[in-house]
């Protein structure tokens, strides 16, 4: 019996190498390795594998905010005080940061371009909306890192701003060094966020070209099932599943099985 197990393992490794696939990790849960005949595998796996929806619509690519990288990213300054607004704009411009200035929240909302905005520098006290209300309004259209400015205020005001996702809360008079550091932090965060959205958009585009059967295969193998187990769940031959798996790897442009699993996790298809 031991000889037969070794021989079977050797044959499977050879088959994997021929079709350029990577065997399932030995760290996979033991509960996903049934030792019963193939005809009862689906019944057992149904207890540990979520059902795969064949009628599920693919992700809508347009739902993801597209990456539109401007030649230069702007720091949007929304401050009612003209003198303070001018000082901030001049200081940031000296640091090589492009600035767009607005005297009110409505002026900013009418002319904002989130695709080219790196961060929002906003006064808590504006003539129309306060800083928190403005940030909440922006959040419905797209996330933009915010730096709040305020005169002397109580701790509750600071806590509300930080809970709303503020990068920094600066008390006037503004420390230029702290402001510059906050702007750079916000810009870095925004670039990473856009890069993640761009990557997700690419993955969704690739996922959309998979056939319904290939999507099922992707969900099962990404969950941790071996080729044999996934084939049993779908009621197809193992060699047929291997062909589907190879097509999935090619269409998703995955360099390795581990990379494919990470893609599936980002797409939340497991």
């Amino acid at each position: 019996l031991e000889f037969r197990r070794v021989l079977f393992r050797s044959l499977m490794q050879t088959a994997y190498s021929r079709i350029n696939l990577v065997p399932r990790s030995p760290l996979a849960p033991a509960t996903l390795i049934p030792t019963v005949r193939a005809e009862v595998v689906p019944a057992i796996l149904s207890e540990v594998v979520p059902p795969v929806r064949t009628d599920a619509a693919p992700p809508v690519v347009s739902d993801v905010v597209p990456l539109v990288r401007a030649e230069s990213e702007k720091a949007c300054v929304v401050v009612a005080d003209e003198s303070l607004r001018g000082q901030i704009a001049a200081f940031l411009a000296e640091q090589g940061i492009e600035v767009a200035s607005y005297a009110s929240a409505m002026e900013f909302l009418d002319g904002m371009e989130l695709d080219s905005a790196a961060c929002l520098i906003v006064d808590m006290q504006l003539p129309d909306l306060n800083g928190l209300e403005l940030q909440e309004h922006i959040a419905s259209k797209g996330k933009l890192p915010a730096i709040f400015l305020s005169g002397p205020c109580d701790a509750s005001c600071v806590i509300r701003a930080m809970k709303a996702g503020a990068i920094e809360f600066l008390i006037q008079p503004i420390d230029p060094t702290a402001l510059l550091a906050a702007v750079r932090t916000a810009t870095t965060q925004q670039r990473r966020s856009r890069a993640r959205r761009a990557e997700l958009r690419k993955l969704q585009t690739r996922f959309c070209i998979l056939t319904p059967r290939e999507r099922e295969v992707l969900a099962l193998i990404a969950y941790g099932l071996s080729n044999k187990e996934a084939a049993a769940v779908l009621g197809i031959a193992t060699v047929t599943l291997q062909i589907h798996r190879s097509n999935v790897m090619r269409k998703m442009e995955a360099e390795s099985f581990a990379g494919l699993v990470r893609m599936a996790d980002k797409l939340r298809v497991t």
Side-chain angles (χ1 to χ4, degrees), residues 90-102:
F91 170 72
L92 294 178
E94 290 176 357
Q95 309 304 316
I97 300 172
E98 186 175 353
V99 180
S101 300
Y102 306 91

Side-chain angles (χ1 to χ4, degrees), residues 147-151 168-175 178-180 182:
I147 301 167
F148 287 95
L149 311 179
S150 176
E168 185 60 273
F169 193 102
L170 301 177
I171 303 297
Q172 300 178 29
I174 306 301
D175 179 0
L179 175 62
L180 181 59

Side-chain angles (χ1 to χ4, degrees), residues 28 44 71 78 103 111 120 143 154 161 181 203 209 212 218 224 229 242 247 254 256:
I44 294 179
E71 293 182 358
V78 186
L120 173 67
K143 188 174 182 180
D154 55 25
L203 293 179
I209 66 176
L218 174 59
E229 293 164 351
Q242 291 173 339
N247 289 336
S256 65

Side-chain angles (χ1 to χ4, degrees), residues 201-265:
R201 181 178 175 84
K202 290 179 181 178
L203 293 179
Q204 288 180 320
T205 301
R206 297 171 191 170
F207 184 81
C208 285
I209 66 176
L210 298 181
T211 66
R213 176 64 83 190
E214 289 167 349
R215 292 175 195 153
E216 290 179 319
V217 170
L218 174 59
L220 291 173
I221 62 177
Y223 189 81
L225 272 65
S226 67
N227 288 346
K228 184 177 180 180
E229 293 164 351
V233 170
L234 299 176
I236 60 178
T238 303
V239 65
T240 303
L241 185 130
Q242 291 173 339
I243 293 173
H244 287 311
R245 174 171 166 164
S246 180
N247 289 336
V248 170
M249 294 280 291
R250 174 176 53 81
K251 292 180 180 180
M252 293 300 294
E253 300 180 23
E255 297 181 355
S256 65
F257 178 65
L260 182 65
V261 172
R262 287 192 292 270
M263 292 178 183
D265 182 61

